[in-house]
Amino acid sequence: MASTMYEHFLEIAFEAELNTREDPELLEIAPEICNEHPDTRDAAITELRSMIFDRGECEPLRTDDEYLLRFLRARDFIIPRAHKLLVRYCEFREQCSHLYQDVDLWGLVKAGEAYEGCMYDRPDVGRLSIMRFGKWDPSEYPVEDLVRLGIVMFEIGIRQPKLQVFGGTVLVDLEGLTLRQVSALTPSIAYQIVNIMGVSTPSKLNACHIINYNWLLNTFFFVFKKFIPQRAWDKIHFHGNDLKSLHKHLDPACLPPRYGGTCRSHVSARKWLQKIKKYRDEHFDKEMKQLGFVIKE
């Protein structure tokens, strides 16, 4: 019975996963979370659009209100910062076009066990995404596909106004990490991962928690260190194997039982992508194709 109720909950959650409509309740709390005010929002969008055309520093895929709003929300409606983020996003897509262009979207399901998400979004945490590098088998698929799936999870998730406002939290679980996996994390791959975690994407990283690491942590983290902006360091927390330390920062209600939590609305990215395929519509397909992904039936 409990299993049936859980599956029913997930079906309802996935139907809502592709909802891009504005929620009146969300707009009520947006001023506090990201400085978004109904009486000035349109003017901010117009100013950002004018800045894009006047400066000519990038050629975004879109300049409609819905799209530009993502960048404003990610930078608390500070227009110059939103513009700078948009420029970085365009530059990243150009530099790393191989991560998007002609990539089979549904084919990335093979990398789905390395990621997990808790579909329990709330203002203080946003969406909790769990990265489990130890689950990745380098002999099954290249590390680039791991990065591609991370991009897909971001690009699909950021379509939701709720996640644009709430942002997200990342839990990096290094249990089972081996030297073979670490050796595949080149500086180029580290650069890509850091950029999709909020440096060059229209999203807010609320915090990053790193747990279950061993002696390989220094090697693992050394590769990433030089790409992490100085302002982001206060958002990174190391907990070792101490779940009590993790719980001081993250409410157990947001965590799956594996980490001493009570949240059961957590799914692997494999299942998440399969459900996205089931519930998507023509508008979704159009947006993903515009990004460069291949949508096969």
Side-chain angles (χ1 to χ4, degrees), residues 55-287:
R55 296 190 179 183
E57 296 177 29
C58 63
E59 295 183 8
L61 291 173
R62 296 160 49 188
T63 57
D64 56 272
D65 290 7
E66 181 182 290
Y67 188 74
L68 296 184
L69 193 54
R70 301 175 183 182
F71 295 88
L72 287 165
R73 284 171 167 166
R75 291 299 179 264
D76 297 330
F77 272 74
I78 301 174
I79 297 169
R81 291 187 64 208
H83 177 263
K84 185 176 181 179
L85 176 62
L86 177 59
V87 172
R88 282 205 306 269
Y89 175 69
C90 292
E91 289 175 346
F92 177 74
R93 278 185 43 81
E94 184 176 347
Q95 293 168 2
C96 303
S97 59
H98 65 286
L99 297 175
Y100 298 80
Q101 202 63 40
D102 300 326
V103 173
D104 177 7
L105 185 65
W106 312 127
L108 294 174
V109 71
K110 61 192 173 189
E113 296 307 316
Y115 291 97
E116 184 176 80
C118 288
M119 299 174 67
Y120 176 53
D121 309 319
R122 45 189 261 181
D124 58 336
V125 175
R127 172 160 299 180
L128 177 64
S129 297
I130 303 171
M131 303 171 66
R132 306 179 70 190
F133 284 110
K135 290 288 186 180
W136 164 51
D137 185 348
S139 66
E140 292 187 1
Y141 54 87
V143 66
E144 286 81 6
D145 280 349
L146 208 59
V147 179
R148 289 181 178 112
L149 181 55
I151 288 174
V152 165
M153 293 174 66
F154 158 75
E155 292 288 2
I156 294 177
I158 205 62
R159 297 172 75 250
Q160 284 192 57
K162 177 175 61 175
L163 295 184
Q164 294 170 17
V165 173
F166 288 175
T169 297
V170 175
L171 177 61
V172 182
D173 184 349
L174 299 181
E175 183 178 13
L177 189 71
T178 66
L179 188 58
R180 184 184 180 198
Q181 291 159 329
V182 171
S183 64
L185 298 173
T186 63
S188 176
I189 295 297
Y191 168 78
Q192 294 163 12
I193 292 174
V194 170
N195 273 273
I196 65 175
M197 287 177 64
V199 173
S200 297
T201 52
S203 61
K204 293 189 295 183
L205 178 65
N206 297 321
C208 176
H209 300 275
I210 303 176
I211 63 169
N212 295 332
Y213 42 83
N214 56 27
W215 62 273
L216 284 172
L217 173 68
N218 288 337
T219 304
F220 174 87
F221 204 66
F222 177 78
V223 182
F224 288 83
K225 191 174 181 179
K226 66 179 180 180
F227 301 114
I228 300 174
Q230 188 62 41
R231 66 180 182 280
W233 282 102
D234 60 349
K235 296 182 179 182
I236 301 175
H237 308 279
F238 296 87
H239 305 285
N241 299 305
D242 187 355
L243 292 181
K244 290 184 179 179
S245 173
L246 178 65
H247 295 168
K248 290 178 182 178
H249 295 266
L250 270 178
D251 188 338
C254 302
L255 292 164
R258 182 190 314 114
Y259 305 114
T262 58
C263 180
R264 298 192 177 275
S265 63
H266 56 96
V267 294
S268 69
R270 179 189 299 274
K271 186 170 186 177
W272 177 82
L273 198 56
Q274 290 169 338
K275 292 292 186 179
I276 292 295
K277 183 178 181 180
K278 176 181 177 180
Y279 289 110
R280 78 192 201 279
D281 56 20
E282 292 182 3
H283 184 59
F284 171 87
D285 283 2
K286 180 180 178 182
E287 284 194 18

